[in-house]
mmCIF file of all heavy atoms in Angstrom:
data_model
loop_
_atom_site.group_PDB
_atom_site.id
_atom_site.type_symbol
_atom_site.label_atom_id
_atom_site.label_comp_id
_atom_site.label_asym_id
_atom_site.label_seq_id
_atom_site.Cartn_x
_atom_site.Cartn_y
_atom_site.Cartn_z
ATOM 1 N N ILE A 220 18.176 -6.242 -47.509
ATOM 2 C CA ILE A 220 16.736 -6.160 -47.069
ATOM 3 C C ILE A 220 15.945 -6.907 -48.214
ATOM 4 O O ILE A 220 16.108 -6.653 -49.348
ATOM 5 C CB ILE A 220 16.179 -4.671 -47.142
ATOM 6 C CG1 ILE A 220 17.064 -3.871 -46.111
ATOM 7 C CG2 ILE A 220 14.777 -4.539 -46.753
ATOM 8 C CD1 ILE A 220 16.663 -2.409 -46.015
ATOM 9 N N PRO A 221 15.047 -7.803 -47.780
ATOM 10 C CA PRO A 221 14.227 -8.565 -48.690
ATOM 11 C C PRO A 221 13.441 -7.622 -49.641
ATOM 12 O O PRO A 221 13.087 -6.493 -49.236
ATOM 13 C CB PRO A 221 13.356 -9.443 -47.858
ATOM 14 C CG PRO A 221 13.940 -9.458 -46.583
ATOM 15 C CD PRO A 221 14.778 -8.235 -46.357
ATOM 16 N N PHE A 222 13.246 -8.061 -50.889
ATOM 17 C CA PHE A 222 12.439 -7.317 -51.839
ATOM 18 C C PHE A 222 11.056 -7.046 -51.479
ATOM 19 O O PHE A 222 10.394 -7.962 -50.928
ATOM 20 C CB PHE A 222 12.417 -7.983 -53.180
ATOM 21 C CG PHE A 222 11.594 -7.398 -54.278
ATOM 22 C CD1 PHE A 222 12.016 -6.146 -54.883
ATOM 23 C CD2 PHE A 222 10.392 -7.847 -54.582
ATOM 24 C CE1 PHE A 222 11.233 -5.591 -55.752
ATOM 25 C CE2 PHE A 222 9.598 -7.269 -55.445
ATOM 26 C CZ PHE A 222 10.001 -6.058 -56.080
ATOM 27 N N SER A 223 10.667 -5.838 -51.581
ATOM 28 C CA SER A 223 9.268 -5.469 -51.272
ATOM 29 C C SER A 223 8.804 -4.551 -52.351
ATOM 30 O O SER A 223 9.540 -3.741 -52.842
ATOM 31 C CB SER A 223 9.145 -4.806 -50.019
ATOM 32 O OG SER A 223 7.855 -4.375 -49.687
ATOM 33 N N PRO A 224 7.538 -4.627 -52.745
ATOM 34 C CA PRO A 224 7.023 -3.841 -53.925
ATOM 35 C C PRO A 224 7.085 -2.308 -53.555
ATOM 36 O O PRO A 224 7.165 -1.447 -54.347
ATOM 37 C CB PRO A 224 5.585 -4.244 -53.983
ATOM 38 C CG PRO A 224 5.516 -5.628 -53.534
ATOM 39 C CD PRO A 224 6.475 -5.634 -52.439
ATOM 40 N N VAL A 225 7.129 -2.007 -52.245
ATOM 41 C CA VAL A 225 7.147 -0.581 -51.842
ATOM 42 C C VAL A 225 8.517 -0.183 -51.236
ATOM 43 O O VAL A 225 8.665 0.936 -50.696
ATOM 44 C CB VAL A 225 6.091 -0.291 -50.714
ATOM 45 C CG1 VAL A 225 4.719 -0.430 -51.388
ATOM 46 C CG2 VAL A 225 6.341 -1.193 -49.572
ATOM 47 N N SER A 226 9.483 -1.102 -51.392
ATOM 48 C CA SER A 226 10.769 -0.783 -50.796
ATOM 49 C C SER A 226 11.457 0.422 -51.508
ATOM 50 O O SER A 226 12.284 1.141 -50.831
ATOM 51 C CB SER A 226 11.661 -1.992 -50.872
ATOM 52 O OG SER A 226 11.928 -2.377 -52.264
ATOM 53 N N HIS A 227 11.100 0.640 -52.826
ATOM 54 C CA HIS A 227 11.831 1.771 -53.449
ATOM 55 C C HIS A 227 11.244 3.097 -53.059
ATOM 56 O O HIS A 227 11.788 4.155 -53.392
ATOM 57 C CB HIS A 227 11.788 1.556 -54.999
ATOM 58 C CG HIS A 227 10.369 1.652 -55.490
ATOM 59 N ND1 HIS A 227 9.460 0.545 -55.372
ATOM 60 C CD2 HIS A 227 9.673 2.576 -56.007
ATOM 61 C CE1 HIS A 227 8.319 0.868 -55.869
ATOM 62 N NE2 HIS A 227 8.425 2.127 -56.380
ATOM 63 N N GLN A 228 10.118 3.069 -52.386
ATOM 64 C CA GLN A 228 9.453 4.294 -51.994
ATOM 65 C C GLN A 228 9.924 4.916 -50.611
ATOM 66 O O GLN A 228 9.882 6.056 -50.408
ATOM 67 C CB GLN A 228 7.945 4.201 -51.948
ATOM 68 C CG GLN A 228 7.401 3.698 -53.341
ATOM 69 C CD GLN A 228 5.808 3.533 -53.151
ATOM 70 O OE1 GLN A 228 5.307 3.637 -52.134
ATOM 71 N NE2 GLN A 228 5.209 3.244 -54.349
ATOM 72 N N SER A 229 10.418 3.968 -49.725
ATOM 73 C CA SER A 229 10.863 4.418 -48.421
ATOM 74 C C SER A 229 12.209 3.903 -48.172
ATOM 75 O O SER A 229 12.360 2.712 -47.782
ATOM 76 C CB SER A 229 9.901 3.887 -47.416
ATOM 77 O OG SER A 229 9.679 2.545 -47.480
ATOM 78 N N PRO A 230 13.231 4.734 -48.375
ATOM 79 C CA PRO A 230 14.584 4.288 -48.124
ATOM 80 C C PRO A 230 14.863 3.908 -46.637
ATOM 81 O O PRO A 230 14.558 4.657 -45.831
ATOM 82 C CB PRO A 230 15.398 5.449 -48.643
ATOM 83 C CG PRO A 230 14.495 6.741 -48.469
ATOM 84 C CD PRO A 230 13.134 6.249 -48.748
ATOM 85 N N ILE A 231 15.412 2.720 -46.478
ATOM 86 C CA ILE A 231 15.617 2.276 -45.102
ATOM 87 C C ILE A 231 17.069 1.771 -45.002
ATOM 88 O O ILE A 231 17.589 1.128 -45.914
ATOM 89 C CB ILE A 231 14.769 1.063 -44.691
ATOM 90 C CG1 ILE A 231 13.243 1.512 -44.939
ATOM 91 C CG2 ILE A 231 15.011 0.582 -43.276
ATOM 92 C CD1 ILE A 231 12.310 0.330 -44.729
ATOM 93 N N SER A 232 17.818 2.259 -44.040
ATOM 94 C CA SER A 232 19.149 1.890 -43.793
ATOM 95 C C SER A 232 19.343 0.469 -43.461
ATOM 96 O O SER A 232 18.487 -0.143 -42.714
ATOM 97 C CB SER A 232 19.689 2.815 -42.687
ATOM 98 O OG SER A 232 19.605 4.155 -43.062
ATOM 99 N N THR A 233 20.499 -0.174 -43.923
ATOM 100 C CA THR A 233 20.726 -1.525 -43.521
ATOM 101 C C THR A 233 21.453 -1.554 -42.207
ATOM 102 O O THR A 233 21.664 -0.441 -41.493
ATOM 103 C CB THR A 233 21.689 -2.246 -44.524
ATOM 104 O OG1 THR A 233 22.836 -1.320 -44.731
ATOM 105 C CG2 THR A 233 20.946 -2.245 -45.905
ATOM 106 N N ARG A 234 21.714 -2.688 -41.683
ATOM 107 C CA ARG A 234 22.371 -2.798 -40.353
ATOM 108 C C ARG A 234 23.697 -2.155 -40.194
ATOM 109 O O ARG A 234 24.129 -1.569 -39.196
ATOM 110 C CB ARG A 234 22.590 -4.246 -39.955
ATOM 111 C CG ARG A 234 21.066 -4.973 -39.697
ATOM 112 C CD ARG A 234 21.419 -6.359 -39.199
ATOM 113 N NE ARG A 234 20.130 -7.091 -39.015
ATOM 114 C CZ ARG A 234 20.007 -8.242 -38.543
ATOM 115 N NH1 ARG A 234 21.094 -9.049 -38.364
ATOM 116 N NH2 ARG A 234 18.830 -8.854 -38.373
ATOM 117 N N ASN A 235 24.484 -2.092 -41.352
ATOM 118 C CA ASN A 235 25.881 -1.495 -41.370
ATOM 119 C C ASN A 235 25.672 -0.013 -41.374
ATOM 120 O O ASN A 235 26.735 0.731 -41.605
ATOM 121 C CB ASN A 235 26.767 -2.098 -42.397
ATOM 122 C CG ASN A 235 26.094 -2.008 -43.772
ATOM 123 O OD1 ASN A 235 25.073 -1.232 -43.968
ATOM 124 N ND2 ASN A 235 26.625 -2.694 -44.688
ATOM 125 N N GLY A 236 24.473 0.582 -41.678
ATOM 126 C CA GLY A 236 24.299 2.017 -41.648
ATOM 127 C C GLY A 236 24.335 2.555 -43.006
ATOM 128 O O GLY A 236 24.170 3.839 -43.223
ATOM 129 N N THR A 237 24.547 1.786 -44.007
ATOM 130 C CA THR A 237 24.578 2.383 -45.398
ATOM 131 C C THR A 237 23.181 2.290 -46.116
ATOM 132 O O THR A 237 22.415 1.427 -45.800
ATOM 133 C CB THR A 237 25.582 1.566 -46.182
ATOM 134 O OG1 THR A 237 25.148 0.148 -46.282
ATOM 135 C CG2 THR A 237 26.956 1.626 -45.698
ATOM 136 N N GLN A 238 23.028 3.203 -47.071
ATOM 137 C CA GLN A 238 21.722 3.081 -47.835
ATOM 138 C C GLN A 238 21.714 2.182 -48.875
ATOM 139 O O GLN A 238 22.710 2.083 -49.507
ATOM 140 C CB GLN A 238 21.435 4.606 -48.333
ATOM 141 C CG GLN A 238 21.160 5.635 -47.201
ATOM 142 C CD GLN A 238 19.886 5.490 -46.504
ATOM 143 O OE1 GLN A 238 18.966 4.823 -46.980
ATOM 144 N NE2 GLN A 238 19.797 6.088 -45.287
ATOM 145 N N PRO A 239 20.635 1.523 -49.147
ATOM 146 C CA PRO A 239 20.592 0.543 -50.299
ATOM 147 C C PRO A 239 20.788 1.276 -51.607
ATOM 148 O O PRO A 239 20.302 2.428 -51.668
ATOM 149 C CB PRO A 239 19.264 -0.125 -50.148
ATOM 150 C CG PRO A 239 18.501 0.831 -49.420
ATOM 151 C CD PRO A 239 19.377 1.541 -48.529
ATOM 152 N N PRO A 240 21.224 0.692 -52.682
ATOM 153 C CA PRO A 240 21.376 1.400 -54.013
ATOM 154 C C PRO A 240 20.032 1.678 -54.545
ATOM 155 O O PRO A 240 19.063 0.993 -54.425
ATOM 156 C CB PRO A 240 22.125 0.356 -54.870
ATOM 157 C CG PRO A 240 21.836 -0.884 -54.227
ATOM 158 C CD PRO A 240 21.743 -0.706 -52.786
ATOM 159 N N PRO A 241 19.883 2.852 -55.231
ATOM 160 C CA PRO A 241 18.566 3.280 -55.799
ATOM 161 C C PRO A 241 18.137 2.225 -56.853
ATOM 162 O O PRO A 241 18.918 1.764 -57.588
ATOM 163 C CB PRO A 241 18.784 4.590 -56.427
ATOM 164 C CG PRO A 241 20.301 4.664 -56.576
ATOM 165 C CD PRO A 241 20.959 3.889 -55.516
ATOM 166 N N VAL A 242 16.836 1.961 -56.866
ATOM 167 C CA VAL A 242 16.291 1.161 -57.956
ATOM 168 C C VAL A 242 16.118 1.893 -59.222
ATOM 169 O O VAL A 242 15.387 2.937 -59.195
ATOM 170 C CB VAL A 242 14.927 0.436 -57.510
ATOM 171 C CG1 VAL A 242 14.338 -0.384 -58.572
ATOM 172 C CG2 VAL A 242 15.150 -0.188 -56.138
ATOM 173 N N PRO A 243 16.705 1.519 -60.286
ATOM 174 C CA PRO A 243 16.518 2.259 -61.587
ATOM 175 C C PRO A 243 15.092 2.247 -62.001
ATOM 176 O O PRO A 243 14.462 1.175 -62.014
ATOM 177 C CB PRO A 243 17.433 1.592 -62.553
ATOM 178 C CG PRO A 243 17.612 0.167 -62.092
ATOM 179 C CD PRO A 243 17.527 0.284 -60.482
ATOM 180 N N SER A 244 14.615 3.397 -62.420
ATOM 181 C CA SER A 244 13.277 3.497 -62.828
ATOM 182 C C SER A 244 13.152 3.243 -64.347
ATOM 183 O O SER A 244 14.000 3.739 -65.097
ATOM 184 C CB SER A 244 12.682 4.970 -62.570
ATOM 185 O OG SER A 244 13.531 5.903 -63.227
ATOM 186 N N ARG A 245 12.165 2.439 -64.775
ATOM 187 C CA ARG A 245 12.000 2.061 -66.122
ATOM 188 C C ARG A 245 11.238 3.139 -66.883
ATOM 189 O O ARG A 245 10.210 3.671 -66.463
ATOM 190 C CB ARG A 245 11.153 0.811 -66.229
ATOM 191 C CG ARG A 245 11.923 -0.341 -65.556
ATOM 192 C CD ARG A 245 11.103 -1.630 -65.668
ATOM 193 N NE ARG A 245 11.089 -2.017 -67.003
ATOM 194 C CZ ARG A 245 10.472 -3.173 -67.482
ATOM 195 N NH1 ARG A 245 9.819 -3.905 -66.591
ATOM 196 N NH2 ARG A 245 10.520 -3.508 -68.738
ATOM 197 N N SER A 246 11.820 3.595 -67.990
ATOM 198 C CA SER A 246 11.233 4.714 -68.727
ATOM 199 C C SER A 246 9.987 4.191 -69.511
ATOM 200 O O SER A 246 9.960 3.076 -69.990
ATOM 201 C CB SER A 246 12.252 5.275 -69.696
ATOM 202 O OG SER A 246 11.617 6.283 -70.477
ATOM 203 N N ALA A 247 9.003 5.001 -69.613
ATOM 204 C CA ALA A 247 7.741 4.594 -70.262
ATOM 205 C C ALA A 247 8.097 4.581 -71.809
ATOM 206 O O ALA A 247 7.364 3.959 -72.597
ATOM 207 C CB ALA A 247 6.649 5.577 -69.945
ATOM 208 N N GLU A 248 9.051 5.315 -72.316
ATOM 209 C CA GLU A 248 9.375 5.467 -73.730
ATOM 210 C C GLU A 248 10.157 4.291 -74.123
ATOM 211 O O GLU A 248 11.251 3.998 -73.547
ATOM 212 C CB GLU A 248 10.110 6.774 -74.035
ATOM 213 C CG GLU A 248 10.382 7.004 -75.546
ATOM 214 C CD GLU A 248 11.106 8.164 -75.759
ATOM 215 O OE1 GLU A 248 11.401 8.954 -74.848
ATOM 216 O OE2 GLU A 248 11.460 8.493 -76.887
#
Side-chain angles (χ1 to χ4, degrees):
I220 300 175
F222 173 76
S223 175
V225 297
S226 60
H227 65 279
Q228 298 178 358
S229 55
I231 303 175
S232 301
T233 57
R234 289 185 180 177
N235 55 13
T237 60
Q238 294 290 340
V242 179
S244 59
R245 301 183 64 181
S246 175
E248 182 183 358

